[in-house]
Amino acid sequence: MALEDASHKIIADLLESRTGQTLTESRRWRISTALSGLFREFGIENVDQLACMLERPGEHRLATRVVEALLNNETYFFRDHNYFSTLANTVLPELAKRRADSRKISIWSAGCSTGQEVLSLAMTFCEQPGRWADWKIEILGTDVSSKAIEQARTGTFSQFEIQRGISVAQMLNFFSETPKGWKVADKVLGMTRFEQRNILDYPPAPGRFDLVLCRNCLLYFDPETRRNAFERLATGIAADGFLMLGAGETVVGQTDRFEPAPFGSAMYVPKAAIRSGSVLGDTLPRAATA
Ligand SMILES: C[S@@+](CC[C@H](N)C(=O)[O-])C[C@H]1O[C@@H](n2cnc3c(N)ncnc32)[C@H](O)[C@@H]1O
C-alpha cells in the first residue's frame, strides 16, 4: 500500500471508530479538501504528516478536530419541504389525537447538525398556536459533532443559512438581526434542547419519543452499523410513534424493526405496532404528496 493510501486509511479508520461513518476508498479524496483549513491552522503539510501526528499518544484534541472536519454537516431549514408538510398536516394531527390525554409530545432529531431541522419543527408548532396552546412540546436534537451542537444551542445563523429554507414571513416572525447573525426567537429556541451524543452510544429510554427524525445521517454507515442504529431508534420510539428518514433513505432491507407508514414516502412505524394493529388506524388521513 502506498504511503498516502495508508495515511488515508488511518484517518478513515479514526472517523469510523468515533462516528460509524465510513469513507470508502472512492470517497477518500474528500480528506484533503475537508482538512485544508486544519492543515493551515496546525502547519501540517500533507495527510502523511497528519497521520504520523495522529499516531502519537496524547493527540486527542487534534483527532477530535479531524473527525469534526470530516463530518458532513450539510443541513438547511425545512429540508425536503414536502416532508415537513406531511408532518404538519398528517403526522402531528395524528399524534395530537393519540396524546390527547397527556397533551405532551416528545420528538428526537438524531443527527441534527447545526439545529435547522429541530428549529424547523419548533416553528411548525409555533405556526399552529391554536392547536398547541396548552401542550407540552419537547424537541431534543443530538449530534456527534460538538461544534455543530454548540452552534445549534446559540440559535444564531448567518444570512446565507437563514435564506436556505426560511420564507420572508418566517424570517420576520421568528428571527431578529443581532451583531452575531440572525437569532431565532426565544419562544422557538425554548422548545428545544441540544446534546452532543453519538447515535451508536445513546440508549434512549424505551418508548421515550413519539416522533424520531433521523435524516441523512445513516447513509454512510456500513450495513451492520446501520442495523445497530435502527435498533437504538426502535428502542426510543413509542409503540405507536413515527420515524422519519431523509429523502432516498429507507428501512426496507436494512432492518426488520420498522415498516413504511401508509402515507408520505419518508415515514415509518415500528413493526411490532403494525402486527398488533395498534398504530395504523383507519382514521389516519393519507398525505396527498410524498
Ligand atoms: C448531513 S447532516 C444531516 C442533518 C439533518 N438531519 C438534515 O437532514 O438536514 C448528518 C449529521 O449526522 C451527524 N452524525 C454522523 N454520524 C453520527 C453519529 N454516529 N451520531 C450522531 N450524529 C452523527 C453528522 O455530524 C451530521 O451533522
Side-chain angles (χ1 to χ4, degrees):
M1 191 187 286
L3 184 56
E4 194 179 68
D5 291 345
S7 302
H8 278 154
K9 186 170 176 339
I10 288 171
I11 294 166
D13 287 352
L14 170 70
L15 177 69
E16 187 167 352
S17 69
R18 295 267 189 109
T19 70
Q21 301 287 320
T22 54
L23 262 183
T24 52
E25 282 181 39
S26 62
R27 290 178 60 245
R28 290 195 186 158
W29 58 267
R30 282 196 65 231
I31 292 179
S32 298
T33 317
L35 297 182
S36 59
L38 210 66
F39 281 7
R40 271 195 303 279
E41 184 182 335
F42 284 79
I44 298 169
E45 280 178 16
N46 52 42
V47 284
D48 296 328
Q49 188 186 352
L50 174 64
C52 286
M53 289 168 78
L54 289 171
E55 295 282 270
R56 292 200 298 246
E59 286 292 0
H60 186 77
R61 188 176 150 258
L62 177 62
T64 301
R65 292 286 306 275
V66 168
V67 169
E68 299 240 335
L70 287 173
L71 285 168
N72 169 7
N73 296 130
E74 165 72 357
T75 188
Y76 45 92
F77 289 102
F78 295 95
R79 183 175 192 170
D80 306 316
H81 213 276
N82 285 344
Y83 295 178
F84 276 89
S85 301
T86 302
L87 285 178
N89 301 323
T90 306
V91 176
L92 296 181
E94 181 60 25
L95 280 176
K97 277 190 227 152
R98 293 176 188 185
R99 302 294 179 263
D101 290 342
S102 67
R103 299 183 93 69
K104 180 170 183 268
I105 293 181
S106 297
I107 301 176
W108 174 27
S109 160
C112 67
S113 188
T114 40
Q116 285 89 327
E117 181 171 282
V118 169
L119 295 169
S120 302
L121 277 164
M123 282 184 260
T124 302
F125 284 99
C126 290
E127 284 173 337
Q128 302 179 332
R131 182 189 284 274
W132 304 109
D134 53 351
W135 283 69
K136 183 167 165 30
I137 309 294
E138 56 162 32
I139 313 173
L140 170 68
T142 61
D143 199 285
V144 74
S145 163
S146 56
K147 202 166 130 231
I149 289 297
E150 240 171 67
Q151 177 178 342
R153 284 185 180 138
T154 69
T156 304
F157 299 89
S158 68
Q159 178 82 31
F160 174 71
E161 286 168 327
I162 66 157
Q163 273 171 350
R164 297 182 78 197
I166 291 287
S167 68
V168 173
Q170 286 167 331
M171 189 167 153
L172 294 172
N173 277 340
F174 298 123
F175 289 87
S176 52
E177 198 170 8
T178 74
K180 292 191 172 159
W182 291 85
K183 183 157 184 350
V184 76
D186 288 347
K187 69 174 174 189
V188 178
L189 195 58
M191 295 168 68
T192 68
R193 193 158 52 87
F194 292 98
E195 289 176 8
Q196 190 230 339
R197 285 185 190 274
N198 186 338
I199 197 176
L200 300 168
D201 294 340
Y202 182 35
R208 165 94 175 70
F209 298 100
D210 305 302
L211 168 65
V212 174
L213 283 77
C214 186
R215 305 196 310 149
N216 307 300
C217 174
L218 309 181
L219 290 169
Y220 295 112
F221 284 172
D222 67 30
E224 194 190 333
T225 309
R226 197 175 301 130
R227 218 174 1 263
N228 286 340
F230 276 124
E231 287 297 317
R232 283 160 174 77
L233 298 176
T235 305
I237 295 186
D240 60 349
F242 297 95
L243 168 69
M244 179 181 244
L245 298 180
E249 294 179 296
T250 182
V251 301
V252 178
Q254 316 281 332
T255 173
D256 56 9
R257 299 296 300 271
F258 293 97
E259 286 243 305
F263 58 91
S265 60
M267 298 301 308
Y268 301 88
V269 289
K271 214 169 192 175
I274 290 181
R275 275 190 234 109
S276 75
S278 66
V279 165
L280 303 176
D282 294 337
T283 56
L284 198 60
R286 285 167 196 255
T289 53

